[in-house]
Amino acid sequence: MSRTTLILYATTEGHTARIAERIAQRLRGKGRRVEIHRTDAVPASLEPAGYDGVIVGSSIHYGHHPNFLRALVRRFRAALTAQPSAFFSVSLSAGGPGAKPEAARRYLETFLRQVDWHPLQTATFAGALQYSKYGAFKRLLMRMIVGIAGGDTDPTRDYEYTDWNAVDRFADEFAQRLKQA
């Protein structure tokens, strides 16, 4: 059997990509091969059944995961169900100003219900406020939302809230599941 893990991720401003890369790096450090793809640029020939495990990650914006990710997970659901799989969700609800971890968990669970997928492992990670990457409207909107929560509103800098140790633990736990499979 292959010792290659597939990581698929959906990102808007790039922070979820950083988290996916960190997971890939951690798995590689444990001797695993990793193939990683953005979910909006998955090669047509990609077949998740050819991997020994699959991790899917996505950012949440305005309470929702991207529609194209729903379609992709539904397309690959049989393969995701037949092997060790994991899902992580990235949002400010998970951590940061005005964090609402229970809301972040609900977003994750709602997504999994919508796509009828039951991964062995799930996690929510705090994201980042990346004012430098937002357009004028989104920057204003995020400053208002974050300001109400008492958070960081200086648009001349970016703020990161991710607990990188939690990301490492997630990767380590998945690597352990692959050993047991």
Side-chain angles (χ1 to χ4, degrees), residues 8-73:
L8 301 170
Y9 67 91
T11 193
T12 303
E13 285 90 26
H15 193 71
T16 301
R18 287 185 59 213
I19 293 171
E21 288 291 347
R22 175 73 169 247
I23 293 168
Q25 177 185 41
R26 190 78 176 188
L27 293 174
R28 288 180 184 120
K30 295 189 173 300
R32 305 204 65 77
R33 287 190 306 264
V34 178
E35 188 174 318
I36 188 166
H37 296 280
R38 281 182 67 124
T39 56
D40 58 353
V42 168
S45 61
L46 184 74
E47 185 47 62
Y51 298 85
D52 65 347
V54 181
I55 298 172
V56 179
S58 176
S59 56
I60 297 172
H61 288 274
Y62 310 110
H64 300 283
H65 294 87
N67 286 330
F68 65 83
L69 181 66
R70 276 186 199 78
L72 187 76
V73 169

Side-chain angles (χ1 to χ4, degrees), residues 72-92:
L72 187 76
V73 169
R74 286 180 181 131
R75 180 174 127 207
F76 293 148
R77 185 176 39 231
L80 293 172
T81 302
Q83 62 202 14
S85 64
F87 179 66
F88 69 90
S89 190
V90 180
S91 69
L92 290 178

Side-chain angles (χ1 to χ4, degrees), residues 72-132:
L72 187 76
V73 169
R74 286 180 181 131
R75 180 174 127 207
F76 293 148
R77 185 176 39 231
L80 293 172
T81 302
Q83 62 202 14
S85 64
F87 179 66
F88 69 90
S89 190
V90 180
S91 69
L92 290 178
S93 295
K100 297 180 181 168
E102 38 320 305
R105 195 78 182 137
R106 275 194 313 275
Y107 298 145
L108 180 145
E109 291 167 356
T110 297
F111 174 79
L112 294 176
R113 267 194 314 277
Q114 290 170 343
V115 297
D116 192 27
W117 176 33
H118 308 281
L120 295 174
Q121 182 181 344
T122 62
T124 60
F125 299 126
L129 274 171
Q130 296 181 304
Y131 289 117
S132 66

